[in-house]
Amino acid sequence: MGQSIEEATANLILRFNERIQYLNNNGSPIPAPGSGKASVEFAPNDQVEALRPLVDYFWADVLV
């Protein structure tokens, strides 16, 4: 995050380098780009419908 594109980019680079250093210090492998993609798993409909009150509240009171 940052107030400008340059600041946001600098913060991202800093965090990236900190993560690489952390992995190196702990002997963990540095993952290859794209190797951390999660598989998509859909929730059963009853679990989705259990959130209906929250969704209705969000649409009615937050987005209005």
Side-chain angles (χ1 to χ4, degrees), residues 2 8 10 13 22 25-30 36 43 47 56-57 61:
I13 291 169
Y22 171 82
N25 289 343
N26 290 305
S28 300
I30 298 172
Q47 289 180 3
D56 291 341
Y57 163 76
D61 295 341

Side-chain angles (χ1 to χ4, degrees), residues 11-12 17 20 23 32 37 41 49 61-63:
N11 288 335
L12 182 60
N17 288 332
I20 296 298
L23 291 172
K37 292 182 180 177
E41 184 176 326
E49 286 302 318
D61 295 341
V62 176
L63 290 180

Side-chain angles (χ1 to χ4, degrees), residues 3-49:
Q3 297 297 319
S4 66
I5 292 174
E6 292 79 16
E7 185 180 352
T9 302
N11 288 335
L12 182 60
I13 291 169
L14 176 64
R15 299 292 180 260
F16 175 81
N17 288 332
E18 287 173 350
R19 182 67 179 165
I20 296 298
Q21 184 178 9
Y22 171 82
L23 291 172
N24 284 333
N25 289 343
N26 290 305
S28 300
I30 298 172
S35 65
K37 292 182 180 177
S39 62
V40 175
E41 184 176 326
F42 293 96
N45 194 51
D46 58 323
Q47 289 180 3
V48 173
E49 286 302 318

